[in-house]
Amino acid sequence: MAGSPDDPFTLAFVGYADPAASERAAAYEDRVLPLLDDHGARLLYRGRRVADADPSLPLEVHLIWFPHRRAFDAYIGDERRLALIDEFGEVFTHKHAVELETVTGPG
């Protein structure tokens, strides 16, 4: 990840799930995303694949703002988050996390 450890940053998360695991994946996210608040982070956007879309497309897409790297590290290492991973298992077949750089439009 680029930038100073003290700089805020935005992360895009894209998670893929088999149709059979979609409800479990959504339930996991319902429980884990509220933990962001405890680390000073904000969920800017959460979207889910429409019901009749190709199931090979991502199930969930998130944009998350973190105030600094320590907040990200604290969220990743949060014991409650790790317990939810143990409880739900791996709900995504594939996932990407991409740090974003703001790009302004033309003009």
Side-chain angles (χ1 to χ4, degrees):
M1 295 189 180
S4 164
D6 295 325
D7 289 344
F9 65 99
T10 301
L11 191 74
F13 169 84
V14 180
Y16 298 77
D18 291 328
S22 294
E23 286 184 29
R24 193 172 87 244
Y28 166 78
E29 293 296 343
D30 288 346
R31 302 259 313 270
V32 77
L33 289 171
L35 299 177
L36 289 165
D37 290 341
D38 292 346
H39 301 287
R42 290 192 313 260
L43 179 64
L44 304 175
Y45 176 83
R46 179 182 180 191
R48 187 171 300 134
R49 175 180 70 222
V50 295
D52 60 347
D54 180 345
S56 69
L57 294 172
L59 175 66
E60 292 227 7
V61 176
H62 309 156
L63 292 177
I64 305 168
W65 177 87
F66 288 93
H68 43 67
R69 304 280 167 206
R70 293 177 311 282
F72 173 78
D73 292 341
Y75 172 71
I76 293 299
D78 188 313
E79 291 182 14
R80 297 167 298 170
R81 180 181 164 277
L82 298 174
L84 287 169
I85 292 170
D86 286 344
E87 178 182 337
F88 283 87
E90 184 52 69
V91 296
F92 294 107
T93 56
H94 194 71
K95 53 192 169 188
H96 299 284
V98 180
E99 184 175 342
L100 301 175
E101 177 179 328
T102 300
V103 178
T104 58

